[in-house]
Amino acid sequence: MLRPIVLYPDPRLKLKSKPVTQFGPEFKELAADMTETMRNASGVGLAAIQIGEDIRMMVMDEHYDREDKGESLVMFNPEVLQEEGSETIEEGCLSIPDVREDVERSFKVKVKYQDLEGKEHVSEFEGLLARCVLHEIDHMNGQLFIQKVPAVKRLFLKRQLDELKKNYKEAAHL
Ligand code: NI
């Protein structure tokens, strides 16, 4: 089921998501909803808080560049064990539509996470996938990519962000 994406500047995007300690069948449906919502919006990754669930859970399409993406990777409580290299690439976020900016992040990450059954895994990701995992972990900590944009460039972003704030107020009838 498609779920509405929480949009900037919704205060929920500033929440620190809670660790998942109990694993049950209800997460299968949530993971399916998140995957459908992410793909419908042409995203590569999505954190649970972006559909309003404040738990440390994310989905990511490892095979985003294939026509048949297969199953998405579902990760709970992801934790970075090691980072290597650095790369600056234009980044966006489904919660901040139409805003794209260069962001510097590690090129390679080693990540520990739990799967839908609570089983622990350690995986390495590179390039866009490393960037995606780091971006979603930021969401779990209430951080958005625009906070990583250097101050000089942030000034340039202000007009776009003001527009999103205005739309948000109108949608919420504030
Ligand atoms: Ni995002």
Side-chain angles (χ1 to χ4, degrees):
M1 187 176 74
L2 272 182
R3 304 267 297 252
I5 294 178
V6 174
L7 296 176
Y8 175 88
D10 193 295
R12 286 174 288 179
L13 293 173
K14 288 186 178 169
L15 290 176
K16 200 166 156 62
S17 295
K18 299 181 194 79
V20 176
T21 51
Q22 302 260 32
F23 292 83
E26 70 274 16
F27 287 130
K28 279 215 169 87
E29 198 179 321
L30 181 58
D33 285 356
M34 284 171 63
T35 302
E36 189 184 341
T37 304
M38 166 182 76
R39 288 179 179 174
N40 180 63
S42 304
V44 175
L46 190 79
I49 192 60
Q50 292 183 274
I51 58 162
E53 305 285 345
D54 66 335
I55 53 170
R56 302 184 83 81
M57 173 185 180
M58 62 173 281
V59 294
M60 178 167 81
D61 267 328
E62 283 184 281
H63 306 299
Y64 61 90
D65 49 354
R66 292 188 197 164
E67 189 152 347
D68 176 16
K69 297 185 180 75
E71 290 210 7
S72 67
L73 178 63
V74 186
M75 302 167 96
F76 293 87
N77 308 318
E79 218 178 287
V80 176
L81 300 177
Q82 231 176 297
E83 302 186 53
E84 233 183 279
S86 115
E87 191 174 44
T88 302
I89 286 188
E90 201 179 66
E91 196 168 313
C93 176
L94 297 182
S95 293
I96 318 175
D98 304 326
V99 175
R100 301 193 64 84
E101 265 306 329
D102 282 352
V103 176
E104 185 183 355
R105 293 197 190 264
S106 303
F107 178 72
K108 203 168 161 184
V109 291
K110 188 191 261 188
V111 184
K112 182 175 90 174
Y113 67 94
Q114 285 165 283
D115 65 18
L116 278 161
E117 276 80 45
K119 194 172 163 244
E120 211 169 279
H121 300 262
V122 174
S123 296
E124 289 190 343
F125 301 100
E126 274 187 19
L128 183 66
L129 294 177
R131 175 170 298 270
C132 180
V133 172
L134 293 170
H135 178 116
E136 308 313 338
I137 291 176
D138 280 352
H139 271 301
M140 295 173 200
N141 295 326
Q143 301 280 319
L144 299 171
F145 85 95
I146 46 175
Q147 291 164 263
K148 293 185 117 59
V149 173
V152 189
K153 282 199 170 171
R154 216 175 303 150
L155 205 64
F156 180 75
L157 277 183
K158 196 181 171 299
R159 198 162 28 156
Q160 275 176 292
L161 296 178
D162 283 346
E163 187 69 18
L164 290 174
K165 283 179 188 161
K166 193 174 135 239
N167 295 345
Y168 180 81
K169 277 191 186 161
E170 278 170 9
H173 305 291
L174 294 175

